[in-house]
Amino acid sequence: MIRNLAEDEKPREKALRHGISTLTDAELLAILLRVGVTGKSVIDVAHDILAHFSNDLGRMARTSTSELTGIVKGIGPAKALTVIAALELGQRCRASGSRVKPQMTSSQSIYDYVRDKVEFLDHEQFWVLMLNKRLGVESLEQISSGGMDATVVDIRMIVKRALDARAVAVALIHNHPSGALNPSIQDDTLTRRIKAACETLDIRVLDHLIISPLGYYSYSDSSRL
């Protein structure tokens, strides 16, 4: 148990004495969880959670509060939310630390930039990258979130947000939880409608990516824009 560890091995004491960067992933997670459960120290619980995600922090960062809740005994909504909030703060810190706006010059660059948001979701979401005249990212905005097979997209909202962001171009992104990468008839229709609405305001639709755990499909690469 934690109380039986040497002072330098206790996560909080270790961080205070030697710096937070000296802690392992499990020790950092243990500080967030604070206490363990009957028969297991908080570090044991942290190891169990990490093992559930195959020690992949990137995958863990893409999980939801509801998914994290109940993974191991003693992890309720409050503790799960604390962990998710810390992971989100880390991602925002990393994003804000970049002074150079990444440029979306290819479907691969778009995929690399957004895949963490949607790749492993169990429901569909629709996102839009707002781009400047150099195709640099001004913002990444979630437009809608739906069920396993579809999500309702308000084209007017896309246009409004693009205007608010002063975007010169946009890239559309949504995911297929099923793993299928081929666009549906509904995807084709939605893409045409969004492109037509944006063109009336001189906003270019750079691409529309469909993302799944198996990779991505690009409308632009397929010459379908």
Side-chain angles (χ1 to χ4, degrees):
M1 304 298 282
I2 288 290
R3 65 175 176 270
N4 296 326
L5 295 175
E7 286 298 307
D8 274 359
E9 294 178 341
K10 296 177 181 178
R12 291 187 182 87
E13 287 75 6
K14 182 178 177 181
L16 290 172
R17 287 174 179 268
H18 305 293
I20 197 74
S21 63
T22 65
L23 270 61
T24 65
D25 292 345
E27 289 170 337
L28 289 169
L29 187 54
I31 288 179
L32 295 173
L33 298 175
R34 298 182 61 191
V35 295
V37 297
T38 303
K40 283 191 175 184
S41 73
V42 67
I43 292 181
D44 291 331
V45 174
H47 277 299
D48 287 346
I49 294 173
L50 290 169
H52 177 83
F53 295 99
S54 302
N55 293 304
D56 185 341
L57 291 178
R59 180 182 165 198
M60 187 174 169
R62 295 190 290 272
T63 194
S64 64
T65 302
S66 59
E67 182 184 350
L68 189 56
T69 300
I71 282 178
V72 297
K73 183 180 177 181
I75 303 301
K79 286 186 178 180
L81 185 59
T82 297
V83 173
I84 295 299
L87 292 168
E88 176 64 21
L89 190 61
Q91 292 189 78
R92 293 187 185 187
C93 180
R94 182 179 62 182
S96 66
S98 175
R99 296 184 179 183
V100 178
K101 294 179 179 179
Q103 289 184 296
M104 300 296 105
T105 56
S106 66
S107 61
Q108 184 68 48
S109 62
I110 298 172
Y111 173 66
D112 291 340
Y113 189 81
V114 303
R115 62 181 297 187
D116 287 351
K117 295 290 186 183
V118 299
E119 187 174 19
F120 293 107
L121 293 178
D122 61 1
H123 60 283
E124 281 202 15
Q125 288 187 354
F126 197 99
W127 294 71
V128 178
L129 270 171
M130 307 299 177
L131 308 172
N132 58 33
K133 63 181 180 180
R134 295 181 180 274
L135 301 183
V137 176
E138 292 296 331
S139 64
L140 172 61
E141 303 191 25
Q142 182 181 331
I143 302 299
S144 66
S145 182
M148 292 182 63
D149 300 319
T151 182
V152 177
V153 178
D154 188 337
I155 297 175
R156 293 170 300 178
M157 182 181 295
I158 293 175
V159 172
K160 180 181 183 303
R161 292 196 181 182
L163 290 173
D164 290 343
R166 298 183 180 179
V168 173
V170 296
L172 315 174
I173 305 101
H174 81 279
N175 64 305
H176 280 178
S178 66
L181 288 176
N182 290 329
S184 65
I185 295 174
Q186 291 80 9
D187 293 335
D188 291 342
T189 301
L190 180 61
T191 303
R192 288 194 298 268
R193 292 180 61 199
I194 295 174
K195 182 181 179 183
C198 288
E199 283 180 342
T200 61
L201 297 168
D202 292 326
I203 299 172
R204 176 188 173 195
V205 175
L206 184 68
D207 205 343
H208 183 177
L209 262 60
I210 298 171
I211 294 176
S212 85
L214 301 179
Y216 72 94
Y217 174 92
S218 163
Y219 273 79
S220 180
D221 291 352
S222 302
S223 302
R224 298 187 62 191
L225 274 180

